[in-house]
């Protein structure tokens, strides 16, 4: 094994190409890039569906980062995924470095198929940047 993961373009005829993990990032909680990377690692590393993880790991391991408005939307999105029978986690930072108190930072779901996501999650927009004001 070369130690290099190469992304493979989706094949529209292959249902497995829609096997992904999703990360929910709070738009109202700006984090330094290193902190966000660590929190994403916690989410992706602990939220794996054991029934799909082998197939996921043998593929391109697609990941999608989407925005949630705030802590409430983060927790509701994670709960909606769990209610749909998906493996989902919310990540609560322990407040050792960036935050003054324990804080929910991100959530993750999957691996799962896009078609299995609850509507509230499938409609979330891709994460692009933090809002200049909360609630945007």
């Amino acid at each position: 094994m070369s130690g290099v993961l190469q992304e493979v373009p989706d094949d529209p005829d292959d249902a497995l190409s829609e096997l992904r993990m999703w990360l929910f990032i709070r738009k109202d909680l700006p984090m330094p890039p290193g902190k966000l990377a660590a929190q994403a690692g916690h989410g992706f590393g602990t939220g794996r569906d054991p029934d799909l993880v082998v197939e996921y790991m043998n593929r391109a391991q697609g990941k999608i980062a989407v925005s949630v408005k705030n802590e409430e939307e983060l927790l509701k999105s994670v709960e909606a995924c769990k209610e749909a029978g998906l493996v989902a986690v919310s990540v609560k930072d322990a407040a050792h470095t960036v935050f003054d108190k324990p804080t929910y930072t991100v959530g993750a779901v999957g691996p799962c198929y896009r078609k299995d996501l609850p509507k509230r999650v499938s409609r979330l927009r891709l994460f692009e940047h933090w809002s200049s004001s909360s609630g945007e």
Side-chain angles (χ1 to χ4, degrees), residues 27-93:
K27 281 197 81 163
D28 68 328
L29 189 67
M31 290 177 264
K35 182 57 143 180
L36 176 57
Q39 298 303 291
H42 291 314
F44 287 136
T46 58
R48 293 187 177 167
D49 182 330
D51 294 332
L52 294 172
V53 75
V54 172
E55 188 62 43
Y56 176 78
M57 296 302 288
N58 286 330
R59 303 194 62 81
Q61 303 175 20
K63 294 170 188 70
I64 298 174
V66 295
S67 298
V68 291
K69 292 179 187 177
N70 51 35
E71 179 181 300
E72 180 181 4
E73 187 176 23
L74 169 67
L75 297 175
K76 284 183 177 180
S77 296
V78 169
E79 188 58 32
C81 290
K82 289 179 179 179
E83 288 173 0
L86 302 173
V87 174
V89 297
S90 53
V91 176
K92 190 172 192 177
D93 183 73

